[in-house]
Amino acid sequence: MCGSVSAQHSGRPKIGLTLSGGGAKGLAHIGILKAIDSAGLNVDYITGTSMGSVIGGLYASGYSADTIERIARTIDWDLLLSNQSSLQSIFMAEKDEYSKYIVELPWQNHRFNLPTGILEGQELWLKFAELFFPVCNVKDFSKLSIPFKCVATDVGTGEAVVMESGEIVSSIRSSMAIPSFFTAVNMQERRLIDGGVVRNFPVQDVKRMGADIVVGSNVSTGLLSSHNVRNAIQVLLQVAFFREAEDHKTEIPLCDIYVDHNLEKYNMGSFGQAIDILDAGIERGKELYPVLKRLSDSLDAIYGPQPLKTNRLPSTEKVRITSFEISSLKNTTIEFFINTLNLKTGQWYSAADISQMIRHAFGTRYYNRILYSLHEQPDGSYKIIFDVMENPLAFAKIGLHYDKFSGISAIVNLTVRNFLISNSRDLVTINIGDNFRVRGEHLQYIGRHKNITASLSAQYDRFSINTYNDFIADKPFSQSGLFKRQYARFDGNIAFSADRRFAIGVGFREEIVKYDPVLASNFEFKGSVNMPTAYGFIKYNSLDKRIFPNRGVKIDAEAGWVLKQNVDVSVLKNGNPYPEAVSAISNRPYLKTAFNLESYYRVLHRLTAMASTQAGANFNYTNNIMNEFSVGGVLPLYNNQVTFVGLPEGSIYTPTFAAFMGGFRYEFLSNTYATAKANVLFTNLINKSVFFNNPDFMSGYGLSFGYNFALGPLEVGAMYSDRSGKIYSTVSFGVSF
């Protein structure tokens, strides 16, 4: 690090600031900005690449260093750096399928295609649009509070592209499009990727702007040594940044004050350690402060005091939108798009309002990316121009799943929209593995705002379930046999959604359950039951994400009238016919209710509290069979299952129950979790099974460790129930069928 005042002219020397790229490591630049502000130094020009363009662009727009620090500390990096939007913005009917598969391949040009990068980053676009909303009318970056330029790379020519005008959001997003990670950005008839490929530290550009004294903050650690390149991703990044390494040799000597950072233990993807990187940058800024303060004082002594520019950020809270323009719509209509947005011309909108509208449209699953720009009109109102990239109408999706109950499986899905009827979704999902499952569904959206849905679906499951002895004091819940279970369901329902969190509806379904003993137990059924059911339901889902949610509530409640059943069942006791039990079987109609509530609350920065309530009752249940609630297991895997920490799947069958669970989940490392749960179960509340002998009360406890891989969540743990007196291991990977 060195410092000098080299300009020799009558006017006060111009101060330039250059911030390098470096992904997550670029957050350390904020500490340098804080030192600049503390030293009372006014910056006249800014250039940046990749994350340096983000931090530099915010500072140039008028944000103070302290404000940028607050933004960085509160951002949900996991959401921004994903292809997902918040689960809260997704249509209720789509939530079960959203963010479920590890691979989604679009069908385009008569084949399945891979994207130009892993991340499109819709939420990242929206966050940028919100942050740069106060300067939405500035199209010439030299007109910002501090003149600004950022650098991208033309993927076609390999040339550096210096962005100095246009849409600042698109410019910054293109500057940080790391090859093969972020998708490329189309701008000015070019296809642009991360500027760090050719000019990661654009000092020459700030010199060209007129800077006499340059402060350069560089978080790049350069190329890895040969023996540290250990995987394909590192090879890709190493090759991609060969030219950038050479460029550094010419850029660094142009700095008057050069700041490097000791960030070797982090990489460009270390956003899970964002706070640690930010704190390291602040410490580096404190070390730099005396140098900057001497520079500021010397300039003031020579040229006179210069007050620090404050309140540089324009005050633009809302704009009045009087017209709109939409490009690139093929699969959907302008009417569909605008109605989904619920955009009304002549109204005032804030950045948050527009973001929420776009999330609503994105939540229909018809769109891959929705960008917007605002253009001021002569009367002071604004025209909003949407740049829309639609999703292809067909996707092949693949997921992986494993748990001890259902075994290992590949989940293959084909989803097609507007196949036979517009505003519809058809899908087929097949579970291929130790157990076979298949489901098909047609979902039809109805109404101006598409808040009414009609659904027709069919499902077939075939898997094996262990049987357990009735509750006996000397051998509680000991495994006694095995049966093959086949389940078929045909369902039709219609639902109304008041918003993206709530739905109410009615339906009718036919269920067929068939049991076939494989290994004889002390008591078993053999045969099938058909159960026609008319039902009503209420659903609520405000969870922030599907996997390891941190906040929100999910409710599933249903009440149905099970009509007269078609029963063809024999009962065996110790392998022999049990005619007394067969004669007791009833097929009389009865009322069935089920309720499930789960809630999550972020208590501290890394600590989430969770609670759930499950309850169900088969009223007027007079010796009906094969529709009892099945208690056990930590994952919901099949119909009528009641999850209970402490018991394996199918440990208890009961016509009535109530279960309550509480627990905490702590994220001790990025995407790495420890979870503790305790639950209690009450059975035999309203009526009691004549076929199964169950305890009235049970409690259970569990401890697990989880990691959210790119291929899906992995969770390993152990659970214990005081009634069984046994410890069971639990292992699950991926999202289940």
Side-chain angles (χ1 to χ4, degrees):
M1 179 170 64
C2 60
S4 67
V5 180
S6 57
Q8 301 293 326
H9 33 113
S10 57
R12 188 182 183 97
K14 300 296 185 181
I15 306 297
L17 174 65
T18 295
L19 305 178
S20 77
K25 294 187 293 183
L27 295 170
H29 292 314
I30 297 172
I32 307 307
L33 296 183
K34 288 173 69 70
I36 289 173
D37 282 355
S38 298
L41 197 64
N42 285 313
V43 174
D44 298 291
Y45 306 108
I46 298 177
T47 58
T49 296
S50 197
M51 182 58 81
S53 73
V54 179
I55 305 300
L58 291 172
Y59 195 67
S61 296
Y63 288 93
S64 68
D66 288 341
T67 302
I68 297 172
E69 179 191 0
R70 285 196 296 271
I71 293 169
R73 290 187 184 276
T74 56
I75 277 179
D76 184 346
W77 295 106
D78 287 341
L79 179 61
L80 293 190
L81 301 174
S82 73
N83 281 328
Q84 310 302 326
S85 183
S86 170
L87 189 64
Q88 297 175 353
S89 67
I90 305 301
F91 273 156
M92 277 294 295
E94 303 270 1
K95 288 182 188 284
D96 288 342
E97 288 291 307
Y98 189 63
S99 187
K100 183 175 181 178
Y101 301 95
I102 57 176
V103 176
E104 297 190 5
L105 300 176
W107 179 262
Q108 293 174 301
N109 301 321
H110 309 292
R111 65 174 183 263
F112 290 111
N113 291 282
L114 292 173
T116 60
I118 299 172
L119 301 176
E120 179 62 56
Q122 174 67 42
E123 282 294 324
L124 186 66
W125 284 101
L126 290 181
K127 175 55 69 174
F128 284 173
E130 290 180 21
L131 292 175
F132 290 100
F133 188 78
V135 293
C136 64
N137 62 331
V138 179
K139 309 304 179 183
D140 180 351
F141 303 163
S142 67
K143 304 299 183 184
L144 293 171
S145 172
I146 301 174
F148 169 73
K149 293 182 181 181
C150 62
V151 180
T153 302
D154 188 326
V155 73
T157 65
E159 297 175 348
V161 179
V162 180
M163 321 279 247
E164 55 188 352
S165 63
E167 296 300 325
I168 191 168
V169 170
S170 298
S171 298
I172 289 175
R173 170 61 176 80
S174 65
S175 179
M176 62 172 292
I178 300 171
S180 296
F181 286 85
F182 285 102
T183 54
V185 177
N186 295 322
M187 282 187 65
Q188 304 169 358
E189 299 183 354
R190 297 173 182 254
R191 198 157 179 77
L192 303 180
I193 59 173
D194 194 308
V197 173
V198 292
R199 195 179 300 160
N200 195 51
F201 193 39
V203 182
Q204 60 181 280
D205 299 291
V206 82
K207 295 285 284 185
R208 292 191 186 107
M209 293 174 76
D212 301 302
I213 303 170
V214 177
V215 179
S217 176
N218 182 14
V219 298
S220 175
T221 52
L223 296 175
L224 297 172
S225 60
S226 298
H227 67 274
N228 285 329
V229 180
R230 299 189 180 96
N231 57 54
I233 292 177
Q234 289 175 332
V235 170
L236 174 66
L237 293 176
Q238 192 87 338
V239 172
F241 291 102
F242 275 159
R243 287 182 60 188
E244 176 265 336
E246 286 298 314
D247 184 68
H248 260 65
K249 297 176 183 178
T250 61
E251 301 286 350
I252 292 175
L254 299 177
C255 295
D256 298 283
I257 299 177
Y258 175 69
V259 188
D260 56 1
H261 296 259
N262 183 20
L263 300 171
E264 283 78 9
K265 64 181 179 180
Y266 307 106
N267 58 55
M268 65 176 60
S270 298
F271 286 95
Q273 299 167 282
I275 303 302
D276 296 333
I277 295 172
L278 182 56
D279 290 341
I282 291 173
E283 290 303 313
R284 189 72 177 102
K286 291 177 180 177
E287 296 173 5
L288 178 67
Y289 171 78
V291 175
L292 296 176
K293 182 61 175 171
R294 284 197 298 270
L295 174 61
S296 178
D297 290 345
S298 65
L299 290 175
D300 286 347
I302 297 172
Y303 301 100
Q306 185 183 46
L308 184 66
K309 298 176 184 177
T310 58
N311 301 318
R312 296 183 294 110
L313 188 68
S315 177
T316 306
E317 296 182 1
K318 290 190 175 185
V319 297
R320 188 168 67 95
I321 296 175
T322 54
S323 60
F324 61 83
E325 181 181 318
I326 307 167
S327 64
S328 306
L329 290 183
K330 295 179 181 178
N331 300 325
T332 57
T333 64
I334 293 177
E335 181 185 24
F336 177 90
F337 182 75
I338 294 299
N339 286 342
T340 304
L341 289 173
N342 199 23
L343 174 67
K344 296 180 174 64
T345 55
Q347 301 292 318
W348 290 83
Y349 293 96
S350 66
D353 294 333
I354 299 174
S355 291
Q356 193 60 26
M357 290 159 53
I358 288 177
R359 290 188 184 100
H360 276 198
F362 188 79
T364 66
R365 309 301 311 279
Y366 277 95
Y367 305 104
N368 181 51
R369 188 193 69 205
I370 304 173
L371 312 182
Y372 73 90
S373 58
L374 292 165
H375 298 264
E376 191 170 11
Q377 304 299 295
D379 62 356
S381 67
Y382 282 80
K383 178 180 183 179
I384 186 168
I385 298 178
F386 294 101
D387 179 11
V388 181
M389 178 184 293
E390 293 176 305
N391 274 322
L393 293 178
F395 275 87
K397 308 177 185 182
I398 302 172
L400 297 174
H401 178 71
Y402 171 79
D403 67 82
K404 295 182 68 175
F405 170 73
S406 58
I408 190 168
S409 59
I411 304 173
V412 180
N413 170 276
L414 178 64
T415 298
V416 181
R417 297 184 185 273
N418 300 351
F419 179 53
L420 296 175
I421 308 173
S422 61
N423 303 324
S424 68
R425 184 201 69 185
D426 293 277
L427 63 80
V428 175
T429 306
I430 302 175
N431 188 96
I432 304 170
D434 294 343
N435 296 286
F436 179 76
R437 310 180 75 176
V438 60
R439 182 170 70 93
E441 181 187 36
H442 174 81
L443 179 68
Q444 186 69 50
Y445 290 102
I446 304 170
R448 181 172 180 266
H449 296 292
K450 308 299 179 282
N451 54 358
I452 299 174
T453 59
S455 172
L456 292 173
S457 65
Q459 179 170 329
Y460 172 77
D461 299 341
R462 185 186 68 216
F463 48 83
S464 299
I465 299 181
N466 292 321
T467 60
Y468 297 85
N469 285 322
D470 290 343
F471 183 69
I472 304 171
D474 59 340
K475 294 191 299 182
F477 303 111
S478 58
Q479 186 175 333
S480 63
L482 180 73
F483 66 88
K484 183 182 296 181
R485 179 184 186 272
Q486 298 184 70
Y487 172 78
R489 183 184 69 215
F490 305 91
D491 187 286
N493 66 67
I494 187 166
F496 170 76
S497 297
D499 56 33
R500 302 296 171 90
R501 298 172 297 174
F502 175 81
I504 185 171
V506 295
F508 184 87
R509 66 170 170 260
E510 175 78 17
E511 295 175 283
I512 305 170
V513 182
K514 183 178 181 180
Y515 287 178
D516 187 11
V518 177
L519 297 176
S521 60
N522 63 328
F523 183 82
E524 58 198 12
F525 298 121
K526 181 177 183 179
S528 63
V529 174
N530 291 45
M531 290 170 288
T533 305
Y535 64 93
F537 63 89
I538 294 175
K539 295 179 180 289
Y540 180 86
N541 190 333
S542 64
L543 301 183
D544 59 338
K545 52 186 177 180
R546 179 190 181 100
I547 299 170
F548 296 124
N550 292 319
R551 59 184 64 87
V553 175
K554 182 180 179 182
I555 297 173
D556 286 292
E558 180 181 300
W561 186 251
V562 182
L563 305 176
K564 185 176 180 180
Q565 303 106 68
N566 180 17
V567 181
D568 182 16
V569 175
S570 59
V571 182
L572 304 177
K573 188 173 185 179
N574 297 319
N576 299 312
Y578 190 12
E580 294 88 347
V582 174
S583 63
I585 294 174
S586 171
N587 64 353
R588 290 178 54 188
Y590 60 92
L591 176 65
K592 179 183 179 70
T593 61
F595 176 82
N596 182 30
L597 179 150
E598 54 184 286
S599 60
Y600 301 85
Y601 178 73
R602 179 57 71 90
V603 180
L604 300 172
H605 173 60
R606 293 182 178 272
L607 184 66
T608 299
M610 59 188 73
S612 72
T613 298
Q614 301 174 85
N618 293 335
F619 296 92
N620 306 319
Y621 197 72
T622 54
N623 302 350
N624 303 80
I625 62 169
M626 293 192 181
N627 201 21
E628 294 90 357
F629 298 99
S630 174
V631 179
V634 296
L635 297 174
L637 298 171
Y638 55 91
N639 74 303
N640 280 355
Q641 182 188 2
V642 179
T643 57
F644 185 79
V645 178
L647 293 177
E649 292 81 359
S651 294
I652 292 177
Y653 292 87
T654 176
T656 61
F657 78 95
F660 306 93
M661 184 277 292
F664 291 93
R665 184 178 66 237
Y666 182 71
E667 185 178 8
F668 56 92
L669 292 173
S670 176
N671 286 319
T672 307
Y673 305 88
T675 304
K677 295 180 180 179
N679 51 195
V680 295
L681 173 74
F682 300 89
T683 64
N684 307 323
L685 298 174
I686 298 173
N687 49 39
K688 188 173 182 178
S689 174
V690 298
F691 303 112
F692 301 98
N693 181 31
N694 298 320
D696 294 335
F697 172 81
M698 289 192 67
S699 61
Y701 314 90
L703 178 65
S704 65
F705 295 90
Y707 184 79
N708 193 15
F709 287 96
L711 295 178
L714 171 67
E715 198 155 13
V716 179
M719 60 182 183
Y720 171 81
S721 172
D722 57 341
R723 289 283 188 164
S724 69
K726 298 179 181 179
I727 297 176
Y728 298 95
S729 63
T730 61
V731 181
S732 66
F733 173 74
V735 179
S736 64
F737 180 86

